[in-house]
Amino acid sequence: LPVQAAATAFKHATINWQPQGHPPPMIYTVPHFDFHFYSIPEADRLTILLGDSLLLAKMTRQPAAAFVPAGYVTGMSTAQMGMHWNDPEAPERKGEPFTKSFIYGSYDGTFIFAEPMVSKAFLDTKPAAVVTAIKLPSQYATRGYQATSYTVVFDGAAKEYRMALTDLVLR
């Protein structure tokens, strides 16, 4: 991340294009982007693997309740990412089409990423600044500026999309 991000809790970010979507079936199986903001160095993230019993224990070790955002539950484990946590109250989990959502991720008992996901269909609408509040935990393991919302916007003049963690608060 650029030097301007040094005061945030984040060390690096990845953008994953999912042209066929990913599990769970009938929820996120549409083309979309996953934007991962990690609070650990990339080298540490790359050591997160599946299929090893010692690593499996780290993958499934849950953070203390104070660090879990309100209502979030565990989901799938992914190599080089960690355990994904989702909000069962999200519209796409209640039968509505997936447009955008917010996922958290943990590894070895600590939350290590924040992940806005945005469908291609939603981006095709060329959204004007859509700001979505994020459900927050009562405590954070990593000190720094943490997002309380994320914003998706299409800039018609620049002909580009912007996705950002926004309304940062020092925690």
Side-chain angles (χ1 to χ4, degrees):
L1 293 174
V3 69
Q4 295 90 336
T8 72
F10 307 105
K11 307 273 187 234
H12 76 283
T14 65
I15 301 172
N16 302 97
W17 167 235
Q18 305 288 341
Q20 306 302 317
H22 57 64
M26 307 307 296
I27 296 177
Y28 301 122
T29 49
V30 299
H32 70 273
F33 288 92
D34 295 342
F35 300 90
H36 291 85
F37 293 85
Y38 289 93
S39 60
I40 61 172
E42 184 175 23
D44 292 352
R45 179 181 62 82
L46 295 175
T47 67
I48 299 173
L49 304 173
L50 301 176
D52 176 297
S53 61
L54 293 176
L55 294 175
L56 177 61
K58 288 183 176 186
M59 186 70 77
T60 58
R61 187 172 296 125
Q62 294 190 7
F67 297 96
V68 178
Y72 272 68
V73 297
T74 59
M76 67 180 188
S77 297
T78 306
Q80 299 182 349
M81 291 182 190
M83 175 68 71
H84 288 67
W85 293 68
N86 65 76
D87 179 4
E89 296 300 315
E92 70 273 10
R93 299 272 176 171
K94 299 220 170 237
E96 293 183 33
F98 164 58
T99 57
K100 58 186 176 48
S101 196
F102 197 84
I103 307 291
Y104 284 96
S106 68
Y107 185 71
D108 201 14
T110 303
F111 279 101
I112 62 167
F113 70 79
E115 178 192 355
M117 298 191 322
V118 182
S119 74
K120 181 181 179 307
F122 181 73
L123 293 175
D124 286 343
T125 68
K126 298 183 177 174
V130 175
V131 179
T132 305
I134 299 169
K135 288 186 177 180
L136 307 172
S138 61
Q139 293 183 27
Y140 291 85
T142 304
R143 182 164 171 74
Y145 283 92
Q146 301 278 358
T148 62
S149 65
Y150 66 99
T151 301
V152 180
V153 62
F154 176 73
D155 181 333
K159 296 183 181 175
E160 66 185 18
Y161 294 89
R162 294 191 192 114
M163 200 301 306
L165 296 180
T166 49
D167 300 316
L168 301 172
V169 175
L170 183 61
R171 307 276 176 147

